[in-house]
Amino acid sequence: MNGSVRVRFAPSPTGPLHIGGARSALFNWLLAKKYGGRMIVRIEDTDLERSSRESEENILDALLWLGLDWDEGIRKGGEHGPYRQTERLNIYTEAAQKLLSEGQAYYCYCTEEELEAERQACLARGEMPRYLGRCRDLSEEDRRKFEAEGRKKTIRFRVPDNENIVVEDLVRGNVVFESNGIGDFVIVKSDGIPTYNFAVVLDDALMGITHVVRGEEHLSNTPRQLMLYRALNFTPPAFAHVSLILGRDRSKMSKRHGATSIEAYKGQGYLPEALVNFLVLLGWSPVGEEEIFTLEELVEQFSLDRVAKNPAVFDIDKLNWLNGHYIRKSSVERITDLAIPFLRQAGFVTGDVTPETYDWLKMVVASVQEYLAFVAQITDHVGIYFDDRVTMENDEALGVLKDESVPAVMAAFRQKIAEMEEITPENTRDMLKALTKQLKLGGKKVYMPIRVALTGKTHGPELYYIIPILGRDRILVRLAQTVEGQA
Ligand code: GLU
């Protein structure tokens, strides 16, 4: 398979890139990389009403953000272009004409009403609705009559009778479909635009695609596509249909289960490497216990034979766990840059971020980085740094400050703060150690009252961050409110 592999991602630009699409793109990308093949991106925009350039841009930008670039296709060019289906209409028209002339396709003049009546009749008989072939063998006279009436016409593919169509799926094994259940289907609509099944076959064949990896929702299209490959004298690619993604209640993943678009996750401060890691585990399972993978490691390890037939369940806790892992591994600068827009939105940051503010924000981020599942959560953790009016969170906090040792602790703490030339996390750590030693009270009796006096809370970031983040003046302002009477 080496070298000759050509895979593609062929999104319909009718909305943003979704989790399922991103997973298909990733699996294809991994195959291309693994086998030194090529990844092609093609835009399937034959649904004129729902397609937009905006969605196209969104999808392509999201792919690049995930790190999934491509070798050939839209934005890139290549020998098999154009890579947008609406720019390839002549190809489809020509192929449809050929099928018409060979009798493998025919014009259908049925009206919407007629088709609907047929559908209802099928349902009433308890059969799968399908086209029953009313226009299959029209006489010349009938045709002329319909043309004279000015009826609109579609082009239908003549589905062979009494055949078993076998999809040899790399994930699902052989899946057999009876041609009789399929009904002649439209390949070109009355406005001259090809349907998905027709365009996809011509494009995959002409673009030399060797492997089609896509969502299970397309499995039932595949027998139609296989018949078209044969009718058009093309060799079909290998197919792999990856399972649906379900929500935790085991119904098909939808907005009800949480955000479904990649941009929504990006917008909440999820990292691309976490999403990639999460997406690959939606259907593929690694050989060992390890679940954390870089793209490079995945290129090594990924294979279609470890892609499961059963549905994948979207587990947001898992994504949060992975994302938290990658946030902790990231540089504080990276997370600071991602955090600033959220801090701004919450009103914590206003105006320009000067180099001094940036350095200060870095400390703020460093103090909470380990608690974040996604960067947007930062605003829940950093309120203590922005408002010098300290209110006691609860009775427990109030109680901490009532301990008889508090006045001595606070006096010693003030003294230390006054003596420090520069207040950094490093020397604050040393100062706190010295303070504990000096007071001979044990860590908790020292740290807890200082924490509560500065923040009003019994939990929060490390004191050796809180102290330098607040700085001497603001520390004094806060102590004056919370423990002044006792100092
Ligand atoms: N345009 C189709 C979709 O977005 C592509 C299906 C395929 O990969 O063949 O669902």
Side-chain angles (χ1 to χ4, degrees):
M1 153 148 180
N2 272 354
S4 56
V5 166
R6 288 175 62 83
V7 291
R8 57 27 165 213
F9 179 55
S12 303
T14 55
L17 180 64
H18 285 281
I19 295 285
R23 182 189 58 171
S24 294
L26 171 62
F27 284 14
N28 280 292
W29 188 92
L30 289 171
L31 282 183
K33 295 287 166 204
K34 186 174 179 90
Y35 296 107
R38 313 230 336 139
M39 167 88 169
I40 290 113
V41 173
R42 174 178 76 228
I43 300 297
E44 302 205 327
D45 58 346
T46 55
D47 183 339
L48 304 183
E49 243 157 61
R50 294 174 58 230
S51 297
S52 74
R53 282 298 166 96
E54 192 194 337
S55 295
E56 179 182 315
E57 297 301 318
N58 176 296
I59 291 169
L60 300 176
D61 291 345
L63 285 175
L64 294 176
W65 179 74
L66 289 170
L68 308 178
D69 52 351
W70 53 99
D71 306 296
E72 194 181 308
I74 197 80
R75 282 192 190 171
K76 276 251 157 147
E79 288 169 42
H80 305 277
Y83 293 94
R84 204 180 271 117
Q85 288 186 328
T86 49
E87 292 166 22
R88 301 170 62 79
L89 295 181
N90 56 330
I91 297 174
Y92 315 126
T93 307
E94 205 176 294
Q97 288 305 325
K98 184 162 175 284
L99 292 181
L100 280 170
S101 68
E102 294 165 350
Q104 300 203 79
Y106 59 87
Y107 284 117
C108 168
Y109 297 89
C110 292
T111 62
E112 294 281 338
E113 294 73 37
E114 286 166 340
L115 293 173
E116 182 54 28
E118 185 172 275
R119 224 179 82 80
Q120 293 305 334
C122 281
L123 288 173
R125 288 195 300 270
E127 292 171 12
M128 273 286 278
R130 62 193 190 285
Y131 185 67
L132 297 177
R134 186 201 303 256
C135 294
R136 208 173 215 225
D137 300 302
L138 285 184
S139 66
E140 235 350 84
E141 200 187 330
D142 289 336
R143 262 173 56 92
R144 266 202 297 272
K145 189 173 130 259
F146 288 144
E147 292 278 344
E149 282 174 17
R151 283 203 186 203
K152 285 189 187 160
K153 58 177 188 254
T154 59
I155 302 176
R156 283 188 191 269
F157 179 66
R158 194 184 293 274
V159 171
D161 294 327
N162 307 321
E163 278 197 28
N164 282 337
I165 313 290
V166 184
V167 178
E168 295 169 22
D169 194 276
L170 294 175
V171 172
R172 328 194 88 75
N174 285 359
V175 187
V176 183
F177 294 86
E178 288 177 19
S179 69
N180 290 353
I182 292 181
D184 297 347
F185 55 92
V186 175
I187 56 174
V188 179
K189 292 177 274 186
S190 59
D191 56 4
I193 305 291
T195 56
Y196 156 70
N197 278 315
F198 191 48
V200 79
V201 165
L202 283 156
D203 289 351
D204 284 341
L206 296 174
M207 293 180 186
I209 300 304
T210 58
H211 294 73
V212 167
V213 181
R214 61 186 172 197
E216 190 186 349
E217 64 273 19
H218 287 293
L219 182 61
S220 61
N221 285 318
T222 311
R224 292 173 177 78
Q225 294 173 17
L226 283 173
M227 292 188 280
L228 286 168
Y229 275 98
R230 191 169 63 186
L232 293 160
N233 261 323
F234 291 133
T235 310
F239 289 98
H241 288 92
V242 186
S243 300
L244 295 180
I245 301 174
L246 306 182
R248 263 200 286 212
D249 60 1
R250 306 212 127 243
S251 68
K252 189 166 189 251
M253 171 82 183
S254 72
K255 286 226 171 88
R256 274 185 310 118
H257 299 104
T260 55
S261 71
I262 296 297
E263 67 177 356
Y265 288 97
K266 180 181 178 202
Q268 289 295 299
Y270 285 85
L271 304 180
E273 60 270 41
L275 275 163
V276 160
N277 198 151
F278 176 70
L279 289 170
V280 81
L281 297 173
L282 286 175
W284 173 78
S285 42
V287 176
E289 296 286 302
E290 185 57 54
E291 290 198 295
I292 305 263
F293 300 101
T294 62
L295 267 178
E296 294 72 50
E297 289 164 346
L298 288 174
V299 169
E300 277 281 301
Q301 298 199 23
F302 183 79
S303 71
L304 282 177
D305 52 5
R306 298 195 63 84
V307 171
K309 266 196 260 196
N310 49 323
V313 176
F314 185 97
D315 178 358
I316 188 75
D317 294 336
K318 178 104 174 218
L319 174 58
N320 285 341
W321 171 72
L322 282 166
N323 202 57
H325 166 84
Y326 286 103
I327 287 180
R328 289 191 291 280
K329 272 189 45 184
S330 296
S331 71
V332 67
E333 286 79 8
R334 180 187 188 196
I335 305 304
T336 304
D337 293 342
L338 291 172
I340 287 172
F342 297 110
L343 296 172
R344 217 181 258 294
Q345 208 181 13
F348 290 133
V349 169
T350 49
D352 286 345
V353 174
T354 60
E356 294 75 45
T357 309
Y358 187 78
D359 283 342
W360 183 79
L361 286 173
K362 267 183 9 188
M363 253 195 303
V364 166
V365 169
S367 77
V368 297
Q369 191 165 349
E370 65 181 298
Y371 308 124
L372 303 178
F374 49 94
V375 183
Q377 283 182 334
I378 192 162
T379 56
D380 299 339
H381 294 276
V382 298
I384 51 167
Y385 300 131
F386 291 90
D387 188 352
D388 285 332
R389 287 163 308 179
V390 183
T391 41
M392 290 300 133
E393 168 182 62
N394 51 27
D395 289 346
E396 190 194 346
L398 274 171
V400 167
L401 293 185
K402 296 215 172 92
D403 194 275
E404 56 179 18
S405 60
V406 167
V409 173
M410 289 304 152
F413 176 56
R414 274 174 198 272
Q415 178 70 34
K416 287 270 187 237
I417 290 290
E419 283 166 5
M420 286 171 85
E421 247 167 54
E422 213 198 348
I423 308 184
T424 64
E426 293 70 39
N427 65 16
T428 301
R429 228 192 253 252
D430 297 339
M431 177 275 281
L432 289 168
K433 265 191 214 143
L435 189 63
T436 317
K437 212 166 157 195
Q438 173 191 325
L439 289 163
K440 298 195 177 65
L441 287 168
K444 196 167 178 226
K445 287 233 171 200
V446 177
Y447 297 160
M448 197 47 111
I450 296 177
R451 171 182 295 286
V452 172
L454 294 180
T455 67
K457 298 180 197 301
T458 51
H459 298 280
E462 298 287 357
L463 262 190
Y464 57 77
Y465 278 123
I466 297 176
I467 290 167
I469 287 169
L470 293 177
R472 198 175 346 252
D473 294 348
R474 296 179 63 202
I475 288 177
L476 295 179
V477 167
R478 292 186 181 203
L479 293 183
Q481 294 166 55
T482 52
V483 291
E484 194 183 26
Q486 309 181 23

